[in-house]
Amino acid sequence: MGNAGYSAPTISAQHIFDGADMRGPGSVRISQGRIESITFGEAEARASIHLPGDAILAPGFIDIQVNGGGGVLLNTEAGVRRIVEAHRKAGTTGCLPTLITDRSEVIERLAAVGQACLTIPGVLGFHLEGPALNRSRKGIHPEAEIRVPDRRDLAAIKSFGGCGRSMVTLAPECVPASMIDELIGAGLRIAAGHSDATAAEIGQAVDRGVSGATHLFNAMSQLNPREPGLVGAALDDDRLFAGIICDGIHVDRAGLRVAFRCKGRDRLMLVTDAMPLAGTDDRQFLLQGRHVTLHENRLTGPDGTLAGAHLTMIEALRNAVELLEISLLDALIMASRTPAAFLGLESELGRIAPGYRADLVAFNPNFEIVGTWIGGVGSTGRELHAED
């Protein structure tokens, strides 16, 4: 079957993670893009797809922060399809292509094609990371474009509120509180990030409806003895979801474990923060005129600043199990059910249950993708036949 699309009315597997427990053997029957039924006891002999005996069938991975892949950035909006296809090969069946801080016209161009992009299988919405960031925590974002959105920016950003389940990362201390209200009122989810806010300022923002923290520990005020900062607030406040880059580079192993102990699998989300090199063999790319180089799995700009991550979701899943020393079930929840809940899609995605969308991933014990299905339509990472 290769990588061509095909319908998959029934998938049988020896191991099925249904979003809560590992079960099996069993079969998942799909109808009109949704899960019609799931039966356990014996794999259905007449199933359309028989997964290899060691494969695990699970809810597809959801990545809320993916800047690029397949050799392109979202900043070139025509590349959305290439980005999604590159990450699908690594198990991502739903994502938010992410636009880092850029000019007003770039935001407007993406807004103009946003609705059309929602027809691309795997696009759940968009993530606007900036432009309302704190320059002292800018990371790789271009300082010249960091700004409080004016009315032109705001109109374009608000239009994403009607574009799937889109979100905005901003520094709460850098914008009027009324702007947070306006963005949430437009239907956007707001995450605090690239911020030097105090814990009190974060608490006030959460009271207004801010619900996430972007790439926990990175580009934010740190936990100190008398000022917990955004890190402390995120670890302490159960209302906040937090994305975390589990590549062993952005966050030390001890920090990853602390985050998991504080947030747990129901509030901590695996994200890739991936850049264009994901899914390619390239070693360098241009980011708004600056060369970003890959060396020993680390992406850095000319001054050594980390510039996103060279990471896929299946790699993040494997790293979570190994670095955090957590169960595969916990890691799978962080890769699917929890981001679905953050996006308000917990009744649609993140579980294998009747009525849920048939967005699925199959992988083997070596964390190699066997196949993915979006709305019941599959694309395999290798040849897979019914007799397997």
Side-chain angles (χ1 to χ4, degrees):
M1 295 177 184
N3 290 323
Y6 57 88
S7 60
T10 306
I11 304 170
S12 71
Q14 293 298 310
H15 311 283
I16 298 175
F17 176 67
D18 64 6
D21 298 299
M22 192 70 74
R23 306 175 69 183
S27 299
V28 177
R29 184 176 294 276
I30 298 165
S31 176
Q32 297 182 332
R34 293 187 177 269
I35 296 168
E36 180 181 276
S37 63
I38 178 169
T39 57
F40 294 104
E42 291 293 335
E44 188 172 322
R46 292 186 295 176
S48 304
I49 298 292
H50 290 271
L51 295 179
D54 61 354
I56 296 169
L57 183 67
F61 307 145
I62 299 172
D63 189 355
I64 66 166
Q65 188 172 10
V66 53
N67 310 291
V72 298
L73 274 169
L74 179 60
N75 303 55
T76 54
E77 65 273 3
V80 171
R81 190 177 297 275
R82 284 178 62 184
I83 292 169
V84 172
E85 288 174 351
H87 286 278
R88 181 172 181 176
K89 293 176 182 177
T92 298
T93 59
C95 70
L96 301 187
T98 301
L99 180 69
I100 71 168
T101 300
D102 214 321
R103 305 181 310 278
S104 300
E105 52 266 33
V106 175
I107 300 173
E108 290 170 339
R109 285 202 304 268
L110 182 60
V113 300
Q115 287 294 334
C117 288
L118 289 180
T119 64
I120 299 172
V123 176
L124 301 178
F126 291 90
H127 181 170
L128 303 182
E129 190 179 359
L133 310 180
N134 192 314
R135 287 184 173 87
S136 69
R137 299 285 182 176
K138 63 183 176 62
I140 199 65
H141 288 247
E143 185 170 356
E145 301 300 336
I146 293 174
R147 63 194 181 277
V148 177
D150 58 18
R151 297 314 300 180
R152 175 185 176 184
D153 286 327
L154 201 56
I157 293 169
K158 285 171 61 179
S159 70
F160 285 93
C163 190
R165 300 303 173 98
S166 295
M167 64 177 286
V168 174
T169 290
L170 54 75
E173 75 277 14
C174 293
V175 300
S178 59
M179 187 173 291
I180 294 176
D181 296 340
E182 196 169 346
L183 293 173
I184 291 174
L188 290 157
R189 278 162 176 76
I190 308 298
H194 290 275
S195 166
D196 207 30
T198 64
E201 288 171 327
I202 294 300
Q204 292 164 5
V206 175
D207 289 342
R208 302 193 84 90
V210 170
S211 56
T214 294
H215 45 51
L216 184 62
F217 292 111
N218 293 110
M220 61 179 59
S221 46
Q222 299 297 300
L223 173 61
N224 291 309
R226 286 168 293 281
E227 176 44 64
L230 174 48
V231 168
L235 294 176
D236 179 60
D237 196 327
D238 291 338
R239 295 174 295 175
L240 281 174
F241 289 82
I244 197 159
I245 306 170
C246 193
D247 61 355
I249 295 170
H250 280 76
V251 183
D252 182 82
R253 185 172 186 167
L256 291 169
R257 291 177 179 176
V258 168
F260 182 77
R261 288 175 185 145
C262 291
K263 302 302 293 179
R265 67 186 191 182
D266 294 323
R267 284 294 182 270
L268 195 62
M269 304 176 287
L270 297 178
V271 300
T272 65
D273 198 22
M275 285 297 196
L277 302 190
T280 76
D281 294 324
D282 298 334
R283 310 292 296 179
Q284 191 176 80
F285 69 96
L286 272 177
L287 177 63
Q288 298 169 326
R290 293 166 292 172
H291 285 280
V292 174
T293 304
L294 176 65
H295 179 66
E296 295 182 348
N297 219 42
R298 180 188 297 262
L299 288 171
T300 55
D303 62 354
T305 300
L306 284 173
H310 190 60
L311 185 68
T312 63
M313 283 297 282
I314 190 65
E315 291 168 338
L317 184 77
R318 180 195 63 209
N319 292 344
V321 172
E322 294 177 355
L323 298 178
L324 280 74
E325 297 182 353
I326 60 175
S327 70
L328 176 60
L329 274 64
D330 285 342
L332 283 167
I333 287 171
M334 292 161 59
S336 58
R337 199 177 83 193
T338 302
F342 170 70
L343 295 174
L345 293 171
E346 62 269 38
S347 63
E348 293 276 318
L349 299 171
R351 293 182 184 272
I352 300 179
Y356 277 69
R357 280 169 47 179
D359 287 12
L360 308 167
V361 62
F363 61 97
N364 65 25
N366 293 322
F367 294 94
E368 298 167 333
I369 299 299
V370 174
T372 59
W373 294 263
I374 299 178
V377 178
S379 178
T380 61
R382 64 177 182 82
E383 287 294 326
L384 183 67
H385 301 283
E387 60 267 24
D388 287 343

